[in-house]
């Protein structure tokens, strides 16, 4: 079983101290905690059997992989859901873990940006109730038509409800029919101020979408399957907060993106904690794009995806001069 989010700092401190050989003050600086806390975490690591003096890096396999992924991908934290063969839908474990991680990351007074999609809504639906003070949950992109499931406003308000927080919806469509209409709507004071305020968020929660016929953008009618296929040929690699990014994690230069009402990538990148949750193995390439673009600091994935990421990082390192 993967470590619980509350144990993350204990494992991270042990990994930095024993595997990387950092001094306790260096571990404290790295994790932004006190040296006394580091000493306490290391003691707990020994007492609970996470490490021992002679075999200091013998953590659970998934947890070793998480620490290596943090190193290889330069992420602040990684959580890996174990593969349970008895589950009909293994992605459920990922959502359960992600909901717990999310609640661990939220602080009183936080402003939280939330995107949309099946993964985000599943997390919201699984999440335990919490009574947090002065928390605001902000919708990161415009909305979709009423018949579509997992709409941005649904994801935002359900998470706000679970946290007993204030929800702030975007009263604008995700995509407009023309670039001129989108430009004009972005200039409206209410929309302009809401977009400008996204960079003030402390935490973002989102997944990364695929660029194929199963994409949410195709299913909700924002793009046809043929239009998405054409964009893929032009370099589309993933979808984040309703926007299409290329393999480098930058906004794809296309008419669709110019018609979208959504948080700019620059605004997302300045959010301190950017939690990305990926349930499907088919989203390997989109996830690589999001990581390359600096759109992820905290990551929750399954064991198989984690191994693919490690293998890819190792292969990339070998190719580097």
């Amino acid at each position: 079983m993967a470590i619980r989010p509350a144990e993350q700092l204990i494992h991270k401190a042990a990994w930095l101290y024993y595997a990387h050989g950092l001094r306790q003050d260096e571990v404290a600086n790295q994790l932004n905690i006190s040296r006394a806390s580091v000493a306490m975490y290391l003691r707990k690591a020994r007492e609970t059997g996470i490490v021992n003096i002679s075999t200091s890096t013998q953590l659970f396999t998934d947890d070793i992989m998480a620490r290596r992924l943090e190193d290889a991908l330069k992420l602040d934290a990684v959580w890996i859901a174990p593969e349970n063969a008895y589950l009909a839908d293994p992605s459920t474990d990922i959502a359960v873990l992600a909901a717990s991680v999310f609640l661990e990351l939220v602080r009183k007074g936080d402003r939280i940006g939330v995107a949309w999609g099946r993964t985000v809504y599943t997390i919201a639906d699984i999440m335990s109730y919490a009574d947090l003070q002065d928390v605001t949950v902000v919708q990161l992109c415009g909305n979709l038509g009423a018949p579509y499931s997992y709409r941005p406003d649904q994801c935002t308000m359900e998470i706000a409800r679970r946290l007993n927080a204030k929800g702030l919806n975007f009263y604008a469509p995700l995509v407009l029919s023309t670039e001129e209409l989108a430009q004009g709507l972005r200039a409206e004071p209410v929309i302009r101020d809401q977009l400008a305020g996204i960079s003030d968020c402390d935490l973002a929660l989102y997944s990364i979408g695929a660029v194929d016929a199963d994409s949410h953008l195709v299913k909700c009618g924002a793009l046809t399957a043929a239009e998405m296929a054409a964009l893929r040929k032009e370099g589309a690699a993933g979808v984040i907060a309703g926007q299409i990014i290329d393999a480098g994690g930058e906004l794809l230069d296309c008419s669709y993106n110019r018609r979208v009402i959504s948080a700019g990538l620059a605004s997302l990148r300045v959010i301190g904690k950017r939690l990305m949750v990926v349930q499907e193995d088919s989203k390997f390439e989109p996830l690589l794009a999001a990581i390359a673009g600096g759109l992820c600091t905290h990551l929750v994935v399954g064991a198989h995806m984690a191994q693919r990421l490690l293998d890819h990082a190792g292969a990339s390192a070998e190719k580097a001069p």
Side-chain angles (χ1 to χ4, degrees):
M1 180 176 180
I3 59 172
R4 296 188 301 272
E7 297 172 328
Q8 177 79 12
L9 276 177
I10 297 176
H11 283 248
K12 190 68 179 274
W15 179 256
L16 292 173
Y17 185 75
Y18 290 109
H20 282 270
L22 270 62
R23 301 190 309 270
Q24 289 192 18
D25 60 322
E26 293 174 326
V27 175
N29 290 334
Q30 185 91 356
L31 300 181
N32 196 27
I33 58 177
S34 68
R35 182 170 177 173
S37 294
V38 172
M40 178 186 69
Y41 290 150
L42 294 177
R43 185 179 70 253
K44 285 185 177 180
R46 292 192 296 271
E47 290 173 350
T48 57
I50 292 172
V51 299
N52 59 57
I53 298 302
S54 60
T55 56
S56 59
T57 60
Q58 288 186 351
L59 312 180
F60 295 111
T61 301
D62 287 345
D63 302 325
I64 292 176
M65 193 184 302
R67 304 292 80 73
R68 287 174 175 166
L69 265 182
E70 291 165 358
D71 294 344
L73 302 179
K74 296 179 173 57
L75 299 177
D76 291 345
V78 173
W79 291 266
I80 299 173
E83 293 184 348
N84 293 319
Y86 63 85
L87 285 178
D89 182 7
S91 66
T92 301
D93 263 4
I94 299 174
V96 170
L97 177 60
S100 183
V101 167
F102 176 77
L103 289 174
E104 289 282 343
L105 293 177
V106 177
R107 300 289 181 268
K108 291 181 179 179
D110 272 359
R111 187 178 175 91
I112 303 166
V114 173
W116 60 291
R118 185 176 71 90
T119 297
V120 174
Y121 192 80
T122 302
I123 293 168
D125 192 47
I126 289 173
M127 189 182 302
S128 300
Y129 288 89
D131 189 7
L132 299 178
Q133 298 176 5
D134 302 321
V135 170
T136 302
V137 183
V138 180
Q139 187 174 321
L140 289 177
C141 60
N143 213 18
L144 303 165
Y148 187 69
S149 302
Y150 321 121
R151 296 195 319 262
D153 61 330
Q154 289 178 316
C155 294
T156 300
M157 297 313 293
E158 183 59 25
I159 288 178
R161 191 173 73 87
R162 299 281 171 146
L163 300 179
N164 195 23
K166 176 184 176 182
L168 184 58
N169 287 132
F170 245 128
Y171 293 104
L174 173 65
V175 58
L176 279 294
S177 57
T178 69
E179 296 178 24
E180 292 74 21
L181 276 174
Q183 186 175 5
L185 189 54
R186 290 190 205 99
E188 287 293 320
V190 172
I191 304 299
R192 182 190 62 213
D193 293 347
Q194 200 162 346
L195 287 170
I198 286 170
S199 59
D200 295 329
C201 287
D202 304 284
L203 169 64
L205 171 65
Y206 42 46
S207 187
I208 183 74
V211 286
D212 54 28
D214 289 327
S215 168
H216 285 315
L217 294 183
V218 174
K219 290 181 177 179
C220 76
L223 288 168
T224 66
E227 288 170 333
M228 181 62 86
L231 288 171
R232 189 179 180 90
K233 289 181 179 179
E234 293 176 20
V239 181
I240 188 162
Q243 301 167 100
I244 296 175
I245 59 173
D246 61 20
E250 299 297 336
L251 204 63
L252 189 72
D253 184 12
C254 63
S255 175
Y256 168 81
N257 277 337
R258 290 189 288 272
R259 294 185 287 116
V260 166
I261 306 296
S262 183
L265 297 188
S267 294
L268 295 178
R269 290 188 183 108
V270 299
I271 297 174
K273 292 175 285 189
R274 305 181 289 282
L275 175 61
M276 181 160 288
V277 183
V278 178
Q279 293 178 291
E280 304 91 339
D281 279 341
S282 59
K283 292 183 177 179
F284 178 67
E285 298 296 338
L287 177 55
L288 287 179
I291 293 171
L295 297 167
C296 170
T297 58
H298 296 64
L299 177 65
V300 179
V301 291
H304 185 255
M305 176 69 85
Q307 187 61 59
R308 290 181 70 186
L309 289 170
L310 261 184
D311 292 344
H312 181 271
S316 298
E318 289 178 3
K319 290 179 182 177

